[in-house]
Amino acid sequence: MKIKGLVHFVYAICLVSVLLGIQGPVHGRLLSLKKPDPENAAATARWLVSQNSWGVLNTISSELGGAPFGNVVSFSDGEPGKGRGIPYFYLTTLDPTARNALKDQRASLTISEHPIGTCGKTDPENPTCAKITLTGKLKLADKDSKETEFAKNALFSKHPEMKDWPKNHNFEFFKLDIENIFLIDWFGGPKPLTVDQYLHTRTTEYAFILGFLI
Amino acid sequence: MKIKGLVHFVYAICLVSVLLGIQGPVHGRLLSLKKPDPENAAATARWLVSQNSWGVLNTISSELGGAPFGNVVSFSDGEPGKGRGIPYFYLTTLDPTARNALKDQRASLTISEHPIGTCGKTDPENPTCAKITLTGKLKLADKDSKETEFAKNALFSKHPEMKDWPKNHNFEFFKLDIENIFLIDWFGGPKPLTVDQYLHTRTTEYAFILGFLI
Protein backbone atom coordinates (compact mmCIF):
# COMPACT_ATOMS: atom_id res chain seq x y z
CA MET A 1 0.00 0.00 0.00
CA LYS A 2 2.94 2.34 0.74
CA ILE A 3 4.24 1.90 -2.83
CA LYS A 4 0.76 2.44 -4.25
CA GLY A 5 0.54 5.68 -2.24
CA LEU A 6 3.91 6.81 -3.60
CA VAL A 7 2.82 6.13 -7.19
CA HIS A 8 -0.36 8.18 -6.63
CA PHE A 9 1.72 11.00 -5.15
CA VAL A 10 4.05 11.07 -8.21
CA TYR A 11 1.01 11.09 -10.54
CA ALA A 12 -0.48 14.01 -8.60
CA ILE A 13 2.77 16.01 -8.85
CA CYS A 14 2.94 15.33 -12.62
CA LEU A 15 -0.69 16.40 -13.08
CA VAL A 16 -0.20 19.65 -11.15
CA SER A 17 2.98 20.39 -13.16
CA VAL A 18 1.18 19.88 -16.48
CA LEU A 19 -1.76 22.03 -15.36
CA LEU A 20 0.56 24.84 -14.32
CA GLY A 21 2.54 24.56 -17.56
CA ILE A 22 5.80 23.82 -15.77
CA GLN A 23 8.23 21.80 -17.89
CA GLY A 24 10.71 21.24 -15.09
CA PRO A 25 13.70 23.16 -13.77
CA VAL A 26 16.49 24.35 -16.08
CA HIS A 27 19.77 24.11 -14.20
CA GLY A 28 17.68 23.71 -11.07
CA ARG A 29 16.81 27.42 -10.97
CA LEU A 30 14.71 28.70 -13.79
CA LEU A 31 11.14 27.50 -14.22
CA SER A 32 9.85 27.26 -17.80
CA LEU A 33 6.51 28.98 -18.00
CA LYS A 34 3.82 28.35 -20.54
CA LYS A 35 4.71 29.38 -24.09
CA PRO A 36 2.84 32.52 -25.23
CA ASP A 37 0.40 32.41 -28.16
CA PRO A 38 2.49 32.44 -31.38
CA GLU A 39 0.31 35.35 -32.55
CA ASN A 40 1.97 37.46 -29.84
CA ALA A 41 5.40 37.84 -31.45
CA ALA A 42 6.87 40.16 -28.79
CA ALA A 43 5.83 37.94 -25.87
CA THR A 44 7.07 34.81 -27.67
CA ALA A 45 10.43 36.45 -28.41
CA ARG A 46 10.89 37.61 -24.80
CA TRP A 47 9.81 34.18 -23.53
CA LEU A 48 12.40 32.44 -25.76
CA VAL A 49 15.16 34.73 -24.51
CA SER A 50 14.20 34.64 -20.83
CA GLN A 51 13.60 30.88 -20.61
CA ASN A 52 16.73 29.78 -22.45
CA SER A 53 20.11 29.60 -20.75
CA TRP A 54 22.32 29.21 -23.82
CA GLY A 55 22.50 29.96 -27.53
CA VAL A 56 24.95 30.40 -30.39
CA LEU A 57 26.73 33.74 -30.59
CA ASN A 58 27.95 34.52 -34.10
CA THR A 59 30.77 36.89 -35.00
CA ILE A 60 32.92 37.63 -38.03
CA SER A 61 36.08 35.56 -37.70
CA SER A 62 39.18 37.65 -38.29
CA GLU A 63 41.20 34.43 -37.98
CA LEU A 64 39.21 32.49 -40.62
CA GLY A 65 39.07 34.92 -43.54
CA GLY A 66 35.95 36.77 -42.39
CA ALA A 67 33.85 33.60 -42.06
CA PRO A 68 30.74 33.73 -39.87
CA PHE A 69 31.81 31.97 -36.66
CA GLY A 70 29.22 30.59 -34.22
CA ASN A 71 30.12 29.67 -30.67
CA VAL A 72 28.07 28.06 -27.90
CA VAL A 73 27.63 30.58 -25.08
CA SER A 74 25.59 30.96 -21.93
CA PHE A 75 23.66 34.18 -21.58
CA SER A 76 21.06 35.93 -19.45
CA ASP A 77 18.72 38.88 -19.91
CA GLY A 78 18.07 39.27 -16.17
CA GLU A 79 17.44 37.45 -12.94
CA PRO A 80 14.50 35.00 -13.13
CA GLY A 81 11.32 37.01 -13.68
CA LYS A 82 13.26 40.25 -14.14
CA GLY A 83 14.51 39.88 -17.72
CA ARG A 84 14.78 43.01 -19.87
CA GLY A 85 15.29 41.29 -23.23
CA ILE A 86 18.91 42.38 -23.72
CA PRO A 87 21.27 39.39 -23.64
CA TYR A 88 24.43 39.62 -21.53
CA PHE A 89 27.45 37.34 -21.77
CA TYR A 90 30.54 36.48 -19.72
CA LEU A 91 33.37 36.06 -22.20
CA THR A 92 37.15 35.83 -22.24
CA THR A 93 39.52 36.84 -25.05
CA LEU A 94 41.07 33.39 -24.67
CA ASP A 95 38.09 32.46 -26.85
CA PRO A 96 37.76 33.68 -30.48
CA THR A 97 34.24 35.16 -30.05
CA ALA A 98 35.36 37.95 -27.71
CA ARG A 99 38.49 38.57 -29.83
CA ASN A 100 36.34 38.81 -32.99
CA ALA A 101 33.86 41.22 -31.36
CA LEU A 102 36.61 43.56 -30.23
CA LYS A 103 37.72 43.85 -33.88
CA ASP A 104 34.26 43.81 -35.54
CA GLN A 105 31.16 44.26 -33.38
CA ARG A 106 28.70 42.78 -35.91
CA ALA A 107 27.11 39.76 -34.24
CA SER A 108 23.95 37.69 -33.80
CA LEU A 109 22.59 35.46 -31.06
CA THR A 110 20.53 32.46 -32.16
CA ILE A 111 18.24 30.63 -29.77
CA SER A 112 15.99 27.60 -30.26
CA GLU A 113 12.86 26.66 -28.34
CA HIS A 114 14.07 23.06 -28.39
CA PRO A 115 16.20 23.16 -25.20
CA ILE A 116 13.25 24.57 -23.22
CA GLY A 117 11.52 21.24 -23.77
CA THR A 118 8.26 22.54 -25.26
CA CYS A 119 8.74 21.34 -28.87
CA GLY A 120 7.88 17.74 -28.03
CA LYS A 121 8.55 15.48 -31.01
CA THR A 122 8.33 18.38 -33.49
CA ASP A 123 11.49 18.68 -35.59
CA PRO A 124 13.77 21.57 -34.47
CA GLU A 125 13.63 23.04 -38.02
CA ASN A 126 9.82 22.94 -38.09
CA PRO A 127 8.56 26.56 -37.83
CA THR A 128 6.25 25.68 -34.92
CA CYS A 129 9.36 24.88 -32.82
CA ALA A 130 10.22 28.56 -32.36
CA LYS A 131 13.61 30.11 -33.08
CA ILE A 132 14.95 33.62 -32.81
CA THR A 133 18.00 35.45 -34.08
CA LEU A 134 18.89 38.79 -32.54
CA THR A 135 21.30 40.68 -34.78
CA GLY A 136 23.27 43.74 -33.67
CA LYS A 137 26.55 44.82 -32.10
CA LEU A 138 28.39 42.81 -29.45
CA LYS A 139 29.92 45.30 -27.04
CA LEU A 140 31.98 45.21 -23.88
CA ALA A 141 29.82 46.56 -21.02
CA ASP A 142 31.16 49.67 -19.28
CA LYS A 143 33.11 48.65 -16.21
CA ASP A 144 31.69 49.72 -12.83
CA SER A 145 28.43 50.86 -14.43
CA LYS A 146 24.92 50.05 -13.18
CA GLU A 147 24.40 47.99 -16.32
CA THR A 148 27.43 45.84 -15.56
CA GLU A 149 26.03 45.22 -12.07
CA PHE A 150 22.73 44.19 -13.71
CA ALA A 151 24.62 41.92 -16.15
CA LYS A 152 26.56 40.31 -13.31
CA ASN A 153 23.41 39.53 -11.30
CA ALA A 154 21.61 38.39 -14.46
CA LEU A 155 24.38 35.95 -15.40
CA PHE A 156 25.45 34.70 -11.97
CA SER A 157 21.85 34.01 -10.89
CA LYS A 158 21.16 31.79 -13.91
CA HIS A 159 24.71 30.41 -14.26
CA PRO A 160 25.94 30.00 -10.67
CA GLU A 161 29.23 28.35 -11.59
CA MET A 162 30.37 31.48 -13.50
CA LYS A 163 31.35 33.29 -10.30
CA ASP A 164 33.97 30.58 -9.69
CA TRP A 165 35.48 30.64 -13.19
CA PRO A 166 39.25 31.30 -13.17
CA LYS A 167 40.08 34.94 -12.38
CA ASN A 168 43.23 34.82 -14.53
CA HIS A 169 41.13 34.09 -17.63
CA ASN A 170 39.94 37.71 -17.45
CA PHE A 171 36.26 37.10 -18.17
CA GLU A 172 34.36 40.30 -18.92
CA PHE A 173 30.73 41.27 -19.35
CA PHE A 174 29.46 41.79 -22.89
CA LYS A 175 26.05 42.82 -24.20
CA LEU A 176 24.28 42.55 -27.54
CA ASP A 177 22.85 45.87 -28.73
CA ILE A 178 19.93 44.54 -30.78
CA GLU A 179 19.25 46.10 -34.19
CA ASN A 180 17.15 43.43 -35.91
CA ILE A 181 14.93 40.54 -34.82
CA PHE A 182 14.27 37.40 -36.86
CA LEU A 183 11.55 35.32 -35.19
CA ILE A 184 9.94 32.15 -36.52
CA ASP A 185 7.21 30.78 -34.26
CA TRP A 186 4.63 29.47 -36.73
CA PHE A 187 4.06 28.80 -40.43
CA GLY A 188 4.14 31.76 -42.81
CA GLY A 189 7.67 33.13 -42.48
CA PRO A 190 9.31 35.46 -39.96
CA LYS A 191 7.03 37.50 -37.68
CA PRO A 192 7.27 41.28 -38.08
CA LEU A 193 8.73 42.55 -34.80
CA THR A 194 10.60 45.79 -34.13
CA VAL A 195 13.28 46.13 -31.47
CA ASP A 196 11.07 48.70 -29.72
CA GLN A 197 8.09 46.30 -29.62
CA TYR A 198 10.38 43.55 -28.33
CA LEU A 199 11.98 45.63 -25.58
CA HIS A 200 8.78 47.26 -24.36
CA THR A 201 6.28 44.42 -24.41
CA ARG A 202 4.41 43.87 -21.15
CA THR A 203 6.03 41.02 -19.26
CA THR A 204 4.46 41.84 -15.87
CA GLU A 205 2.09 38.92 -16.12
CA TYR A 206 4.91 36.41 -16.60
CA ALA A 207 6.99 38.01 -13.84
CA PHE A 208 4.02 37.75 -11.46
CA ILE A 209 3.47 34.05 -12.22
CA LEU A 210 7.19 33.38 -11.76
CA GLY A 211 7.27 35.32 -8.48
CA PHE A 212 4.33 33.29 -7.25
CA LEU A 213 5.93 29.95 -8.11
CA ILE A 214 9.47 30.40 -6.74
CA MET B 1 2.28 -6.82 -5.62
CA LYS B 2 1.60 -6.04 -9.25
CA ILE B 3 2.57 -2.38 -8.72
CA LYS B 4 5.69 -3.43 -6.81
CA GLY B 5 6.61 -5.69 -9.72
CA LEU B 6 6.13 -2.80 -12.18
CA VAL B 7 8.35 -0.51 -10.09
CA HIS B 8 11.08 -3.16 -10.04
CA PHE B 9 10.78 -3.59 -13.81
CA VAL B 10 11.20 0.18 -14.37
CA TYR B 11 14.23 0.22 -12.05
CA ALA B 12 15.75 -2.68 -13.99
CA ILE B 13 15.25 -0.89 -17.33
CA CYS B 14 16.84 2.30 -15.91
CA LEU B 15 19.83 0.32 -14.56
CA VAL B 16 20.43 -1.47 -17.89
CA SER B 17 20.18 1.88 -19.73
CA VAL B 18 22.76 3.52 -17.45
CA LEU B 19 25.12 0.56 -17.75
CA LEU B 20 24.91 0.65 -21.54
CA GLY B 21 25.45 4.41 -21.57
CA ILE B 22 22.13 5.14 -23.27
CA GLN B 23 20.78 8.60 -22.46
CA GLY B 24 17.40 8.05 -24.03
CA PRO B 25 16.03 8.39 -27.54
CA VAL B 26 16.41 11.60 -29.53
CA HIS B 27 13.28 12.05 -31.63
CA GLY B 28 12.51 8.43 -30.86
CA ARG B 29 15.10 7.18 -33.33
CA LEU B 30 18.69 7.90 -32.52
CA LEU B 31 20.32 6.34 -29.49
CA SER B 32 22.92 8.45 -27.71
CA LEU B 33 25.99 6.36 -27.15
CA LYS B 34 28.61 6.92 -24.52
CA LYS B 35 30.71 10.05 -24.98
CA PRO B 36 34.26 9.30 -26.13
CA ASP B 37 37.26 10.21 -23.98
CA PRO B 38 37.88 13.98 -24.40
CA GLU B 39 41.52 13.12 -25.21
CA ASN B 40 40.26 11.57 -28.45
CA ALA B 41 39.39 14.77 -30.30
CA ALA B 42 38.40 13.13 -33.60
CA ALA B 43 36.06 10.60 -31.95
CA THR B 44 34.51 13.29 -29.74
CA ALA B 45 33.92 15.56 -32.75
CA ARG B 46 32.31 12.77 -34.79
CA TRP B 47 30.20 11.75 -31.79
CA LEU B 48 28.94 15.32 -31.33
CA VAL B 49 27.96 15.54 -35.01
CA SER B 50 26.40 12.09 -35.26
CA GLN B 51 24.43 12.25 -31.99
CA ASN B 52 22.98 15.72 -32.45
CA SER B 53 19.94 16.37 -34.61
CA TRP B 54 20.17 20.16 -34.82
CA GLY B 55 22.59 23.05 -34.61
CA VAL B 56 23.00 26.67 -35.66
CA LEU B 57 24.04 27.30 -39.25
CA ASN B 58 25.77 30.62 -39.70
CA THR B 59 26.04 32.59 -42.93
CA ILE B 60 26.92 36.12 -44.01
CA SER B 61 23.67 38.08 -44.26
CA SER B 62 23.43 40.01 -47.50
CA GLU B 63 20.19 41.51 -46.17
CA LEU B 64 21.69 42.77 -42.89
CA GLY B 65 24.83 44.57 -44.02
CA GLY B 66 27.09 41.52 -44.01
CA ALA B 67 26.27 40.60 -40.41
CA PRO B 68 26.93 37.02 -39.29
CA PHE B 69 23.48 35.41 -39.24
CA GLY B 70 22.80 32.21 -37.29
CA ASN B 71 19.74 30.07 -37.92
CA VAL B 72 18.44 26.96 -36.16
CA VAL B 73 18.58 24.02 -38.58
CA SER B 74 18.21 20.27 -38.49
CA PHE B 75 21.03 18.29 -40.03
CA SER B 76 22.37 14.78 -40.46
CA ASP B 77 25.72 13.25 -41.37
CA GLY B 78 24.23 9.86 -42.21
CA GLU B 79 21.71 7.25 -41.21
CA PRO B 80 22.09 6.13 -37.57
CA GLY B 81 25.44 4.35 -37.21
CA LYS B 82 26.47 5.27 -40.77
CA GLY B 83 27.53 8.90 -40.33
CA ARG B 84 30.42 10.19 -42.44
CA GLY B 85 31.00 13.45 -40.57
CA ILE B 86 29.81 15.77 -43.35
CA PRO B 87 26.64 17.62 -42.32
CA TYR B 88 23.75 17.76 -44.79
CA PHE B 89 20.77 20.13 -44.64
CA TYR B 90 17.32 20.46 -46.19
CA LEU B 91 16.81 24.17 -46.83
CA THR B 92 14.51 26.45 -48.78
CA THR B 93 15.30 29.86 -50.23
CA LEU B 94 12.15 31.09 -48.46
CA ASP B 95 14.57 31.22 -45.52
CA PRO B 96 17.53 33.69 -45.44
CA THR B 97 20.20 31.03 -44.73
CA ALA B 98 19.86 29.34 -48.13
CA ARG B 99 19.61 32.75 -49.85
CA ASN B 100 22.78 33.94 -48.09
CA ALA B 101 24.71 30.78 -48.98
CA LEU B 102 23.84 31.08 -52.67
CA LYS B 103 25.42 34.57 -52.62
CA ASP B 104 28.34 33.86 -50.26
CA GLN B 105 29.21 30.26 -49.39
CA ARG B 106 31.18 31.08 -46.24
CA ALA B 107 29.41 29.35 -43.35
CA SER B 108 29.80 27.52 -40.06
CA LEU B 109 27.74 24.95 -38.18
CA THR B 110 27.80 25.15 -34.38
CA ILE B 111 26.73 22.24 -32.21
CA SER B 112 26.55 21.84 -28.45
CA GLU B 113 26.75 18.67 -26.40
CA HIS B 114 23.96 20.06 -24.21
CA PRO B 115 20.97 18.75 -26.26
CA ILE B 116 22.41 15.22 -26.18
CA GLY B 117 21.79 15.24 -22.44
CA THR B 118 25.28 14.27 -21.28
CA CYS B 119 26.33 17.62 -19.74
CA GLY B 120 24.25 17.09 -16.61
CA LYS B 121 24.22 20.25 -14.48
CA THR B 122 27.43 21.56 -16.06
CA ASP B 123 26.94 25.01 -17.59
CA PRO B 124 26.67 24.95 -21.41
CA GLU B 125 29.62 27.41 -21.65
CA ASN B 126 31.82 25.26 -19.40
CA PRO B 127 34.53 23.67 -21.62
CA THR B 128 33.72 20.17 -20.32
CA CYS B 129 30.26 20.47 -21.95
CA ALA B 130 31.66 19.96 -25.45
CA LYS B 131 30.99 22.23 -28.41
CA ILE B 132 32.11 22.18 -32.01
CA THR B 133 32.12 24.66 -34.87
CA LEU B 134 32.69 23.36 -38.38
CA THR B 135 33.65 26.22 -40.68
CA GLY B 136 33.66 25.95 -44.48
CA LYS B 137 31.51 26.44 -47.55
CA LEU B 138 27.76 25.80 -47.64
CA LYS B 139 26.96 24.33 -51.04
CA LEU B 140 23.95 23.06 -52.89
CA ALA B 141 24.38 19.30 -53.42
CA ASP B 142 24.45 18.14 -57.05
CA LYS B 143 20.99 17.03 -58.08
CA ASP B 144 20.54 13.35 -58.95
CA SER B 145 24.02 12.50 -57.64
CA LYS B 146 24.87 9.60 -55.32
CA GLU B 147 25.75 12.15 -52.64
CA THR B 148 22.28 13.70 -52.83
CA GLU B 149 20.78 10.23 -52.38
CA PHE B 150 23.01 9.78 -49.32
CA ALA B 151 21.96 13.22 -47.99
CA LYS B 152 18.28 12.38 -48.51
CA ASN B 153 18.54 9.09 -46.60
CA ALA B 154 20.69 10.73 -43.93
CA LEU B 155 18.17 13.52 -43.33
CA PHE B 156 14.89 11.67 -43.76
CA SER B 157 15.97 8.82 -41.45
CA LYS B 158 16.76 11.20 -38.58
CA HIS B 159 14.08 13.80 -39.40
CA PRO B 160 11.11 11.74 -40.64
CA GLU B 161 8.74 14.70 -40.95
CA MET B 162 10.97 16.33 -43.62
CA LYS B 163 9.67 14.04 -46.36
CA ASP B 164 6.21 15.57 -45.85
CA TRP B 165 7.33 19.21 -45.90
CA PRO B 166 5.52 21.31 -48.55
CA LYS B 167 6.72 20.52 -52.08
CA ASN B 168 6.02 24.09 -53.25
CA HIS B 169 8.55 25.44 -50.74
CA ASN B 170 11.28 23.97 -52.97
CA PHE B 171 13.48 22.49 -50.25
CA GLU B 172 16.87 21.41 -51.54
CA PHE B 173 19.82 19.44 -50.16
CA PHE B 174 22.84 21.42 -49.01
CA LYS B 175 26.18 20.26 -47.59
CA LEU B 176 28.93 21.90 -45.59
CA ASP B 177 32.38 21.43 -47.12
CA ILE B 178 34.45 21.57 -43.94
CA GLU B 179 37.68 23.59 -43.96
CA ASN B 180 38.31 24.19 -40.26
CA ILE B 181 37.30 22.54 -36.99
CA PHE B 182 37.01 24.32 -33.64
CA LEU B 183 36.44 21.78 -30.87
CA ILE B 184 36.27 22.45 -27.15
CA ASP B 185 35.79 19.31 -25.07
CA TRP B 186 37.91 19.98 -21.97
CA PHE B 187 39.92 22.71 -20.24
CA GLY B 188 42.94 24.12 -22.06
CA GLY B 189 41.51 25.66 -25.22
CA PRO B 190 40.50 24.21 -28.59
CA LYS B 191 41.74 20.73 -29.45
CA PRO B 192 44.02 20.51 -32.49
CA LEU B 193 42.07 18.55 -35.10
CA THR B 194 42.52 18.53 -38.87
CA VAL B 195 39.65 17.94 -41.30
CA ASP B 196 41.45 14.81 -42.49
CA GLN B 197 41.74 13.40 -38.94
CA TYR B 198 38.06 14.22 -38.36
CA LEU B 199 36.81 12.60 -41.57
CA HIS B 200 38.93 9.46 -41.34
CA THR B 201 38.73 8.55 -37.67
CA ARG B 202 37.67 4.99 -36.95
CA THR B 203 33.98 4.94 -36.04
CA THR B 204 33.46 1.21 -36.59
CA GLU B 205 33.26 0.57 -32.86
CA TYR B 206 30.40 3.03 -32.41
CA ALA B 207 28.60 1.76 -35.49
CA PHE B 208 28.84 -1.80 -34.18
CA ILE B 209 27.40 -0.88 -30.78
CA LEU B 210 24.60 1.07 -32.46
CA GLY B 211 23.84 -1.82 -34.80
CA PHE B 212 23.66 -4.15 -31.84
CA LEU B 213 21.27 -1.94 -29.90
CA ILE B 214 18.69 -0.99 -32.53
Side-chain angles (χ1 to χ4, degrees):
Chain A
M1 277 306 284
K2 270 185 186 172
I3 291 167
K4 202 172 175 182
L6 183 68
V7 170
H8 284 165
F9 178 71
V10 171
Y11 276 143
I13 291 287
C14 289
L15 186 64
V16 169
S17 299
V18 168
L19 288 174
L20 284 173
I22 302 169
Q23 286 86 32
V26 176
H27 293 288
R29 305 202 121 249
L30 185 64
L31 291 168
S32 297
L33 300 175
K34 206 166 164 59
K35 183 181 174 183
D37 187 321
E39 282 297 310
N40 191 341
T44 303
R46 291 291 294 273
W47 176 81
L48 276 170
V49 172
S50 70
Q51 298 304 307
N52 252 301
S53 66
W54 66 278
V56 172
L57 184 56
N58 312 291
T59 49
I60 298 287
S61 172
S62 52
E63 293 150 21
L64 293 169
F69 181 81
N71 206 347
V72 175
V73 295
S74 293
F75 72 90
S76 174
D77 76 329
E79 293 180 48
K82 294 178 183 171
R84 294 181 186 170
I86 300 165
Y88 295 96
F89 311 91
Y90 197 44
L91 307 173
T92 163
T93 50
L94 290 174
D95 204 73
T97 300
R99 290 200 298 271
N100 292 342
L102 294 174
K103 288 184 184 165
D104 185 337
Q105 292 184 328
R106 290 178 295 174
S108 69
L109 173 67
T110 306
I111 302 168
S112 166
E113 183 189 338
H114 207 263
I116 301 176
T118 40
C119 290
K121 286 183 185 293
T122 303
D123 194 88
E125 196 173 309
N126 186 306
T128 65
C129 182
K131 54 216 68 164
I132 190 167
T133 301
L134 306 171
T135 307
K137 301 284 188 290
L138 184 59
K139 297 177 179 174
L140 201 57
D142 288 338
K143 276 181 188 165
D144 305 320
S145 66
K146 274 193 179 176
E147 190 177 24
T148 300
E149 194 59 27
F150 181 87
K152 186 179 174 180
N153 291 333
L155 284 158
F156 290 7
S157 60
K158 289 190 181 172
H159 305 279
E161 67 170 74
M162 279 184 175
K163 63 181 184 301
D164 300 318
W165 285 358
K167 297 294 171 227
N168 62 354
H169 284 196
N170 300 318
F171 280 93
E172 291 189 275
F173 297 101
F174 285 73
K175 66 181 278 194
L176 184 68
D177 264 351
I178 307 167
E179 295 171 355
N180 186 277
I181 301 170
F182 174 84
L183 171 73
I184 301 271
D185 68 353
W186 202 250
F187 305 104
K191 285 279 163 66
L193 179 60
T194 67
V195 177
D196 191 59
Q197 287 166 338
Y198 167 81
L199 289 177
H200 300 111
T201 187
R202 206 170 67 90
T203 55
T204 327
E205 193 187 333
Y206 299 105
F208 170 74
I209 300 169
L210 190 65
F212 176 73
L213 288 171
I214 59 175
Chain B
M1 278 305 285
K2 271 185 183 172
I3 292 167
K4 202 171 175 181
L6 184 68
V7 171
H8 284 166
F9 178 71
V10 171
Y11 277 143
I13 290 289
C14 289
L15 186 66
V16 169
S17 298
V18 168
L19 288 174
L20 284 174
I22 301 168
Q23 288 87 31
V26 177
H27 293 286
R29 305 201 122 250
L30 184 64
L31 293 167
S32 297
L33 300 176
K34 206 166 166 56
K35 183 181 173 183
D37 187 321
E39 282 296 310
N40 192 340
T44 302
R46 291 291 294 273
W47 175 81
L48 276 169
V49 172
S50 70
Q51 298 304 306
N52 252 301
S53 65
W54 66 278
V56 172
L57 185 55
N58 313 293
T59 50
I60 297 288
S61 171
S62 53
E63 293 151 21
L64 293 169
F69 181 82
N71 207 347
V72 176
V73 296
S74 293
F75 72 89
S76 175
D77 75 328
E79 293 181 47
K82 294 176 183 173
R84 294 181 185 170
I86 300 165
Y88 294 97
F89 311 91
Y90 197 44
L91 307 173
T92 162
T93 51
L94 291 174
D95 203 74
T97 299
R99 290 200 298 272
N100 292 341
L102 294 175
K103 287 183 184 166
D104 185 337
Q105 294 183 327
R106 290 178 295 174
S108 69
L109 173 68
T110 306
I111 302 167
S112 166
E113 182 189 339
H114 207 264
I116 301 176
T118 40
C119 290
K121 286 182 185 294
T122 303
D123 194 87
E125 195 173 311
N126 185 307
T128 64
C129 181
K131 54 216 68 163
I132 190 167
T133 301
L134 305 171
T135 307
K137 301 283 187 291
L138 184 59
K139 297 177 180 176
L140 202 57
D142 288 338
K143 277 181 188 165
D144 306 319
S145 66
K146 274 193 179 174
E147 189 175 26
T148 299
E149 193 61 25
F150 180 87
K152 187 178 174 180
N153 292 333
L155 284 158
F156 289 6
S157 61
K158 289 190 181 171
H159 306 277
E161 67 170 76
M162 280 183 175
K163 63 182 183 301
D164 300 317
W165 285 358
K167 298 293 172 229
N168 62 355
H169 283 198
N170 299 318
F171 280 93
E172 291 189 275
F173 297 101
F174 284 74
K175 65 182 277 194
L176 184 69
D177 262 353
I178 307 167
E179 295 170 354
N180 185 276
I181 300 170
F182 173 83
L183 171 73
I184 300 271
D185 69 353
W186 201 250
F187 305 105
K191 284 278 164 67
L193 179 61
T194 67
V195 177
D196 190 59
Q197 285 167 339
Y198 167 81
L199 290 176
H200 299 110
T201 187
R202 204 170 69 91
T203 56
T204 327
E205 191 186 335
Y206 299 103
F208 169 74
I209 299 169
L210 190 66
F212 174 74
L213 287 171
I214 57 176

